[in-house]
Amino acid sequence: MSSRIAAVTGRQLWDSRGRPTVEAEVTLESGAVGRAIAPAGASRGAHEAIDLRDGGSAYGGFGVNRAVAGIGAEIAGALIGADARDQAAVDRILCDLDGTANKARLGANAVVAVSMAVLHAAAADAGAPLWRYLADGRKVRIPLPEIQIFGGGAHAGRRTDVQDFMVMCPNAGSFRRALEITDDVYRAAGRLMEEKGPLSGVADEGGWWPNFSSNEDALDTLTKAIEASGHRAGEDVFISLDIAANEFGDASGYALALDDRRLSGAEMAARIIDWAGRYPILSIEDPAGQDDWTTMAAITARIGDRVQIIGDDVLVTNAGRVARAAEAAVCNAALIKVNQVGTVTEARAALDAALDRGWGAIVSARSGESEDVTIAHLATGWNAGQLKVGSFTRSERMAKWNEMLRIEEAIGSHAEWAGFTAFADPIGRVAA
Ligand code: 2PG
Ligand code: MG
């Protein structure tokens, strides 16, 4: 019985947007099998790893035949015989084989699916659920979920400039309770939306997709929904935003189309700081463009002691960028998306770079997802403290929330709720 890799295959499946995506399947000599499906982003940073798509007219150019073929041929050839328990060695082989700085040759979609499938196979070989295999005997906390109520930006026809209007319940005490409270808020928001006029369905990640008259109208509505849900805004339920500012601006200015305003970097910072003062906001992601570190650092300097400032497109799950951003005090938390960098080992390095600096860390889904629940296990087993999945509808999202309920149940009475300990030091200390 051995944990050496015996076979690696790929196949095309479909993601939550109805686009082709890559699944990898890895079988070990012991017979243990691991499978994983690549997610796909819509609001991507320029410094991310790159998916390999077929182009042409079929599937709007989104086909993954070349990525899948690479798995069955080159990748399988390089990995057969490698020890699945040595994830770092496996990922090094994948990086060397690809040979590019951004996984463009084999495709981040192929590489990430294989890297995660190897991890699953190793856990299966160890006879442990993935979160427990990763925890490796260390105590872990139940991550705090960040759950979308309204979707906007690139995920909802740009109805709002701000991409994600989310809630967080750090005082909930358990994952189960956090979901119950979120459900109350989600339903209350739905009722308010009906009063406001016709709904347009749900956004890419399952949040309501309404017509708002301004970005602040969405913030007002979310605050009202929290209050109407019977919970206290700023105590039981806090607002979390992903501005995804990279989608509408850079250091030369930010075009808030819904508000009909063009803001300089300094004005953008002032607007974010103003929102953080007037709404029960606990966390803000990408309030500036990916290379506009001046604006982001100005925001962090002013409100970073009480609001989590997360780098997503700014950091792209890259340990080197986390280190540089920390030196420049750009933010105080890192979003961790394995497919942004391409391998489990590199994502783990980015997470460690964040946690070692006392930052928060949020393991995150992409807007294009599937039934794959790997991120629930990574967030728990890596003790990241936070998990961002999308909204409270659609099974590609609910699959992850439901998996977290199973994990919480399995940990049982030892389950320690991350709550405010998930945040960078000053925020956690002030609020605790
Ligand atoms: C983000 C993600 C998830 P996408 O910006 O954080 O919300 O979106 O996967 O489209 O990059
Ligand atoms: Mg983001």
Side-chain angles (χ1 to χ4, degrees), residues 165-189:
F165 295 85
M166 299 169 285
V167 292
M168 300 181 95
C169 308
N171 288 320
S174 70
F175 208 88
R176 175 169 298 279
R177 185 66 194 137
L179 294 190
E180 286 167 359
I181 296 171
T182 303
D183 179 54
D184 293 338
V185 177
Y186 190 83
R187 305 294 144 208

Side-chain angles (χ1 to χ4, degrees), residues 131 140-147 174-176 178-179 363 373-381 385-389 397-412 415-418:
W131 69 266
V140 293
R141 294 162 301 165
I142 300 294
L144 171 62
E146 207 185 344
I147 307 181
S174 70
F175 208 88
R176 175 169 298 279
L179 294 190
V363 174
V373 296
T374 308
I375 58 169
H377 291 267
L378 298 182
T380 310
Q386 297 175 64
L387 175 63
K388 178 186 176 192
V389 165
R397 313 291 151 186
M398 303 317 288
K400 279 98 165 154
W401 302 136
N402 289 340
E403 185 73 355
M404 275 310 310
L405 292 176
R406 292 187 197 99
I407 293 172
E408 184 169 63
E409 188 183 300
I411 298 178
E416 188 187 317
W417 172 242

Side-chain angles (χ1 to χ4, degrees), residues 163 242 285-286 312 335 337 388:
Q163 178 182 285
D242 182 359
E285 182 179 326
D286 282 353
D312 172 16
L335 206 73
K337 296 161 162 170
K388 178 186 176 192

Side-chain angles (χ1 to χ4, degrees), residues 131-217:
W131 69 266
R132 198 192 296 273
Y133 173 72
L134 291 167
D136 196 23
R138 285 180 295 269
K139 203 166 158 38
V140 293
R141 294 162 301 165
I142 300 294
L144 171 62
E146 207 185 344
I147 307 181
Q148 187 193 66
I149 305 296
F150 302 131
H155 301 163
R158 300 186 192 277
R159 280 302 168 83
T160 53
D161 302 292
V162 174
Q163 178 182 285
D164 293 307
F165 295 85
M166 299 169 285
V167 292
M168 300 181 95
C169 308
N171 288 320
S174 70
F175 208 88
R176 175 169 298 279
R177 185 66 194 137
L179 294 190
E180 286 167 359
I181 296 171
T182 303
D183 179 54
D184 293 338
V185 177
Y186 190 83
R187 305 294 144 208
R191 286 193 295 276
L192 283 179
M193 299 292 43
E194 272 169 32
E195 286 165 22
K196 269 176 102 77
L199 281 168
S200 308
V202 294
D204 261 1
E205 298 190 12
W208 301 110
W209 177 7
N211 268 318
F212 287 117
S213 58
S214 65
N215 289 290
E216 277 194 24
D217 181 19

